């Protein structure tokens, strides 16, 4: 089955810096890659997603890139702010959310 | 707009006691519904999913069960809780087009 690896497990940056979180997946049939942000004690919030027919997607300070050949995708956050501090999860699916496999999460800390 | 409600937010239960967690979705019809568990510092594990009333699929063998008595209601239950049932439980929904997956706010369950 699908396996998703996520790195780093923790990431500390200064406010205004960029942050990059990387994920690799094992199943070349996976075609949907969402990213979730989870604040302490809350449910994960979908922040951006990408499908395998595109290589990059941007939404304001957040972007996701996908390399299907290498089977990896990355989350890029520019001009980080303290409110970006949270745990971020990547995931991959090849069809239907019952097949969605999550990474183990990255704890991002943005210091003022 | 669609909203998902999950309660209670926190629950402390003794070993051997029963459990009932409830989730409801508003603003949509015939959603796909999911129960996830998140162990401390870990990723998300799919427990059950449902594509319609009375239709439940279990992803992992366990001490828990799920039911869907109404179109937009999903219930997670146990007859006798174990210590290992402690964790953060999340309900989620997606439309029948399976475009995106949205999570509720979660229930922190502590079994003592």
């Amino acid at each position: 089955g699908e396996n998703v690896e996520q790195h780093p497990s923790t990431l500390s940056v200064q406010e205004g810096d960029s942050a990059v979180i990387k994920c690799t997946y094992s199943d070349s049939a996976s075609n949907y890659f969402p990213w979730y942000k989870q604040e302490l004690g809350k449910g994960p919030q979908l922040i951006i997603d990408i499908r395998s027919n595109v290589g990059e997607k941007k939404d304001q300070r957040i972007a996701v890139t996908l390399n299907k050949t290498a089977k990896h995708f990355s989350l890029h956050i520019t001009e980080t702010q303290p409110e970006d501090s949270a745990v971020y999860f990547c995931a991959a699916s090849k069809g239907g959310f019952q097949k969605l496999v999550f990474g183990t999460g990255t704890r991002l800390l943005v210091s003022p | 707009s669609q909203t998902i409600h999950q309660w209670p937010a926190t629950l402390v239960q003794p070993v051997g006691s029963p459990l009932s967690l409830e989730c409801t979705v508003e603003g949509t019809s015939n959603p796909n519904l999911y129960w996830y568990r998140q162990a401390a510092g870990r990723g998300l594990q799919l427990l059950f999913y449902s594509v319609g009333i009375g239709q439940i699929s279990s992803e992992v063998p366990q001490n828990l069960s799920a039911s869907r008595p109404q179109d937009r209601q999903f219930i997670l239950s146990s007859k006798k809780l174990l210590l290992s049932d402690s964790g953060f439980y999340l309900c989620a929904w997606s439309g029948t087009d399976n475009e995106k997956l949205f999570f509720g706010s979660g229930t922190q369950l502590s079994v003592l």
Side-chain angles (χ1 to χ4, degrees), chain A residues 4-61:
Chain A
V4 177
E5 295 189 358
Q6 183 173 346
H7 301 280
S9 57
T10 59
L11 179 59
S12 294
V13 301
Q14 292 292 120
E15 182 176 2
D17 289 348
S18 294
V20 180
I21 302 170
K22 299 180 179 181
C23 289
T24 60
Y25 60 98
S26 60
D27 192 336
S28 57
S30 289
N31 56 13
Y32 177 65
F33 308 91
W35 285 90
Y36 288 85
K37 174 184 180 182
Q38 186 175 26
E39 297 176 345
L40 190 62
K42 297 184 178 180
Q45 178 188 10
L46 179 66
I47 56 172
I48 196 167
D49 57 2
I50 191 169
R51 296 191 181 275
S52 58
N53 57 346
V54 298
E56 183 176 2
K57 184 176 179 180
K58 294 184 70 174
D59 183 3
Q60 299 182 344
R61 297 186 296 109

